């Protein structure tokens, strides 16, 4: 709280604090439940139905329901889920608990600095053709993101545009570049087709939190 105080001029501090609170609640549930199941296996406490379900989930390599209730959306099996959680809690390097708050915070910062209504702005995107490790400072406006997966296409760094995916390679991770998000007015961007997408053009495609597209 001292290092990242709640400020009107910096919405990201509020987002960070909320993320830390959510992850701490999840980690507390995991820690408490694991201690309880160890005690139950030793006969020190009663093995409740909730702990039995948790033991069954651990045996079947699935995330226990009591963890899912406090966790972020994910379809990963337990082993991959734990690896992902460790990456996420390493200062949120893998992903946000609630990414919508992060995106809204970015728009709020722009709206407050430019005295613009948040309802009249949206995101512009620019692919940064250099490794994420070389990006040392935050931008004056907007944010850098990385770790997105492309499905059905790939990014061509040499030409700076989307290209057809290579044979037998349907899903790719953007490892070699960052993505710069910059809020702009609603009237500025022009939508383009996938084949025309370059570093400064926009494609209207969904960005999914999970690796499986779900329909209602």
């Amino acid at each position: 709280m001292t290092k990242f105080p709640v400020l009107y001029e910096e919405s990201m501090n509020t987002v960070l604090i909320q993320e830390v609170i959510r992850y701490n609640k999840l980690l507390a549930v995991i820690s408490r439940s694991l201690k309880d199941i160890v005690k139950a296996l030793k006969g020190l406490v009663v093995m409740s139905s909730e702990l039995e379900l948790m033991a069954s989930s651990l045996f079947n390599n699935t995330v226990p329901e009591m963890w899912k209730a406090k966790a972020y959306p994910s379809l990963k099996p337990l082993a991959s889920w734990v690896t992902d959680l460790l990456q996420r809690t390493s200062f949120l390097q893998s992903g946000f608990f609630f990414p919508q708050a992060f995106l809204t915070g970015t728009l709020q910062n722009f709206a407050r600095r430019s005295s613009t209504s948040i309802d009249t702005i949206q995101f512009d995107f620019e692919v940064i053709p250099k490794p994420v490790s070389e990006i040392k400072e935050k931008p004056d406006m907007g944010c850098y993101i990385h770790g997105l997966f492309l499905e059905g296409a790939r990014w061509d760094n040499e030409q700076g545009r989307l290209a057809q995916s290579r044979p037998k390679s349907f899903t790719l991770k953007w490892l070699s570049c960052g993505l710069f998000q910059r809020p702009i007015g609603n009237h500025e961007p022009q939508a383009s087709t996938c084949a025309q997408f370059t570093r400064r053009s926009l494609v209207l495609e969904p960005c999914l939190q999970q690796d499986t597209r779900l329909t209602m």
Side-chain angles (χ1 to χ4, degrees):
M1 293 292 288
T2 303
K3 187 175 182 181
F4 302 99
V6 177
L7 299 173
Y8 178 82
E9 299 81 7
E10 185 52 81
S11 297
M12 288 304 167
N13 289 357
T14 302
V15 174
L16 176 61
I17 292 171
Q18 292 174 346
E19 288 291 310
V20 170
I21 291 174
R22 292 188 181 100
Y23 278 110
N24 282 342
K25 288 182 178 179
L26 172 59
L27 294 175
V29 170
I30 294 174
S31 177
R32 184 177 65 252
S33 60
L34 289 175
K35 291 178 181 178
D36 289 343
I37 199 169
V38 170
K39 291 179 180 179
L41 292 174
K42 292 182 178 179
L44 300 178
V45 298
V46 177
M47 177 70 79
S48 64
S49 58
E50 192 175 38
L51 290 178
E52 286 185 5
L53 290 175
M54 176 181 169
S56 177
S57 296
L58 296 178
F59 180 79
N60 293 321
N61 192 33
T62 58
V63 181
E65 290 297 328
M66 67 172 67
W67 297 2
K68 284 184 179 180
K70 298 293 183 180
Y72 44 86
S74 178
L75 300 176
K76 297 179 182 293
L78 180 60
S80 300
W81 186 87
V82 170
T83 300
D84 180 51
L85 176 62
L86 292 175
Q87 293 176 344
R88 286 171 177 263
T89 52
S90 179
F91 201 72
L92 311 181
Q93 289 186 5
S94 175
F96 287 96
F97 206 109
F98 189 62
Q100 292 89 336
F102 172 77
L103 298 175
T104 302
T106 304
L107 293 176
Q108 283 179 339
N109 282 346
F110 179 86
R112 290 170 179 174
R113 293 178 188 177
S114 60
S115 299
T116 306
S117 172
I118 194 173
D119 295 331
T120 63
I121 58 178
Q122 59 183 323
F123 283 112
D124 183 26
F125 301 88
E126 179 181 356
V127 177
I128 308 300
K130 62 181 180 180
V132 176
S133 59
E134 295 183 8
I135 302 176
K136 302 298 183 181
E137 298 180 357
K138 69 176 184 179
D140 293 333
M141 192 65 66
C143 61
Y144 293 115
I145 61 176
H146 72 99
L148 291 178
F149 288 83
L150 277 173
E151 187 174 277
R154 64 180 176 87
W155 182 255
D156 189 328
N157 269 332
E158 294 182 358
Q159 298 186 20
R161 59 182 296 170
L162 282 178
Q164 294 289 337
S165 57
R166 294 188 173 92
K168 301 181 180 180
S169 182
F170 188 64
T171 303
L172 297 171
K173 188 175 182 179
W174 287 8
L175 294 175
S176 59
C177 62
L179 190 63
F180 174 56
Q181 288 191 150
R182 177 176 65 90
I184 57 175
N186 281 337
H187 63 283
E188 295 186 46
Q190 297 292 328
S192 62
T193 64
C194 179
Q196 297 171 334
F197 181 69
T198 63
R199 290 193 180 99
R200 297 306 309 275
S201 60
L202 182 66
V203 175
L204 302 180
E205 292 292 339
C207 185
L208 307 179
Q209 288 182 249
Q210 304 180 70
D211 55 4
T212 299
R213 189 187 299 265
L214 302 177
T215 58
M216 300 298 292

